[in-house]
Amino acid sequence: MLESVKHVILILSGKGGVGKSTVSTQLALTLKEKDFKVGLLDIDLCGPSIPYLLQLEGKDVHQADGGWVPVYTDNDQKLAVMSIGFLLNNRNNAIVWRGPKKTAMVRQFLTDVCWGDLDYLLIDTPPGTSDEHISVMESLRGIKCDGAIIVTTPQQVSTEDVRKEITFCKKTGIPVLGLIENMSGFVCPSCTECTNIFSKGGGEALAELAQVPFLGVLPIDPRVGTLLGKACVKELPDSPSAKTFNEIAQKITT
């Protein structure tokens, strides 16, 4: 099912709560705005937030002869989405599965979804280096994976965990496309001044230490948080986040 996908990119982080799913959705929307055909696969089985972030809750996936048909965000079918959230009857339902069942579900997502012709498939993963990640690696054998974008916040408690994710990539042969420092400062919605309520520069320092490319910083911006299903590069073109997402898209598409 991935033979017609030109580029596969993993979005990883060794730490939970770093905004990885928000980065994944906004990057997918940015690529869509640049006229690419994009797929977004959410394999965070226990915390599927992609349907909410794209305002797709309540949508259903359909079974076709070739497999599952993903949910599309637009009539032009420029952004296709698959998540276990579409398979749950209630958003309050919990996934209480052991490793083998989670592994089987991830493999099914990677082999039984009719993505069609895509320029980019972004895979949003759960934090850590466990069952889901190993299943992805095994399922992508024989399929060219461009590499991984790693997300961290600037605090040391985050960068210490994310460093392990970089080690995971190196051990499994996944190229690291770069590292993003998310939640780097707070943008006031009234005056747009950026204040460093957390530390700053931890992600950039980690990238230098690990000798991986640094893709840029993303501040906490309440305006971006309200853009459910909308691209910040279109709705807030002058914002720091839009500038960074445009730069990231430029780096990974050239």
Side-chain angles (χ1 to χ4, degrees), residues 85 108 211:
Q108 193 167 4
Q211 297 183 324

Side-chain angles (χ1 to χ4, degrees), residues 110-232:
L110 288 167
T111 58
D112 293 347
V113 177
C114 302
W115 293 108
D117 294 324
L118 291 181
D119 294 307
Y120 290 90
L121 175 63
L122 306 183
I123 303 178
D124 182 36
T125 66
T129 55
S130 56
D131 295 321
E132 293 91 333
H133 303 78
I134 297 170
S135 300
V136 169
M137 296 304 98
E138 291 177 344
S139 299
L140 289 180
R141 286 177 181 169
I143 301 293
K144 183 181 181 296
C145 176
D146 287 55
I149 293 174
I150 299 178
V151 183
T152 186
T153 52
Q155 306 96 315
Q156 186 175 359
V157 68
S158 177
T159 58
E160 288 297 321
D161 287 343
V162 173
R163 185 185 301 180
K164 299 179 180 65
E165 195 75 46
I166 296 174
T167 302
F168 169 81
C169 289
K170 292 180 177 179
K171 284 186 175 181
T172 54
I174 306 170
V176 177
L177 299 178
L179 187 144
I180 297 171
E181 182 178 307
N182 195 26
M183 304 185 192
S184 184
F186 171 80
V187 176
C188 174
S190 300
C191 67
T192 68
E193 181 180 348
C194 188
T195 303
N196 293 322
I197 56 175
F198 299 136
S199 60
K200 180 178 176 63
E204 188 171 6
L206 175 59
E208 184 177 351
L209 178 66
Q211 297 183 324
V212 299
F214 184 65
L215 296 178
V217 297
L218 291 166
I220 299 172
D221 190 335
R223 298 172 300 168
V224 175
T226 63
L227 295 178
L228 300 178
K230 299 178 181 179
C232 71

Side-chain angles (χ1 to χ4, degrees), residues 31-79:
L31 292 171
K32 173 179 171 287
E33 288 298 319
K34 294 185 181 299
D35 210 30
F36 291 108
K37 293 194 69 173
V38 186
L40 180 55
L41 174 58
D42 179 9
I43 63 166
D44 191 345
L45 302 181
C46 296
S49 55
I50 296 297
Y52 168 75
L53 292 172
L54 288 174
Q55 290 288 272
L56 297 174
E57 288 184 302
K59 301 290 185 180
D60 295 321
V61 295
H62 301 284
Q63 192 77 28
D65 292 339
W68 283 332
V69 178
V71 173
Y72 291 94
T73 63
D74 58 324
N75 293 331
D76 294 333
Q77 298 188 349
K78 297 295 289 292
L79 177 53

Side-chain angles (χ1 to χ4, degrees), residues 229-243:
K230 299 178 181 179
C232 71
V233 295
K234 180 180 180 181
E235 304 295 327
L236 303 167
D238 297 325
S239 67
S241 295
K243 179 182 177 182

